Amino acid sequence: MSILEVSHIEKHFGATQVLTDISFSLEKGQALSIIGSSGSGKTTLLRCLNFLETPDRGTISVNGTPIFDAADSTTKSEAEIRQKRLHFGLVFQNFNLFPQYTALQNVTLARELLSKEQGGGETKAEIETAGRELLAQMGLADRADHYPHQLSGGQQQRVAIARALALQPDILCFDEPTSALDPELTGEVLKVIRSLAEKKTTMIIVTHEMAFARDVADQVIFMDGGVIVEQGDPHQVIDHPREERTKQFLSRYAEN
């Protein structure tokens, strides 16, 4: 069974339709890369999956359980939305760390709040131990007590990845995780994502790193104008695209 089923998702902002009939599935342990030009709807799709935007049409299911149906007009409480959001971890382009908290506090804060909300299932010490383990996994064991301004962009993004993993989501989502980084810092973040793929972490990666998408992903989706133009095996889509629009996009990318 697929871990994620997205069916016929559509999204409008006013009169502008930004997503049209988006459907795909993802198996547990797979990595999906989504490529396309700016404005093609990639980030909006991630935001819909993470309940930061509400689709106008379509359904989303995780582990066979529907978690969103646009036809259901029942008003959802904030607590219900937060619970659905736990299926996904989102790593933003610009890190979005809290500047007043250390790296460790950034990683553990949401888990501490969740534990309190659920009646204190974990102790603060247990959560802190798990947070330090995640930072060590990111190669940041010696940066746990540093504040964001004391970290490089690459280190901040690795803290953000640890934070997303702390809540043990079913699916980890990345929105252009290297776009805010200097080129020399990009490699360290891609190395972490590659290691997660090797551990069969289920991921959706919106990226402009074509070689990385081809080498790490199990499948690739190319979006343009809010629709899926082409999807399939990474080597087929990126090295031997079938659709003319995909060929145009990749040829321009090669020129850059």
Side-chain angles (χ1 to χ4, degrees), residues 135 139-146 155:
L135 286 173
L140 295 170
D142 60 342
R143 296 290 190 272
D145 298 321
H146 286 57
Q155 290 170 337

Side-chain angles (χ1 to χ4, degrees), residues 104 107-108 111 127-141 158-159 161-168 196:
L104 180 60
V107 171
T108 60
R111 192 156 163 175
I127 293 171
E128 184 172 308
T129 296
R132 289 187 183 279
E133 288 173 356
L134 281 169
L135 286 173
Q137 187 181 332
M138 299 297 119
L140 295 170
R158 284 184 279 156
V159 172
I161 295 170
R163 178 178 62 183
L165 287 168
L167 292 176
Q168 300 173 309
L196 291 171

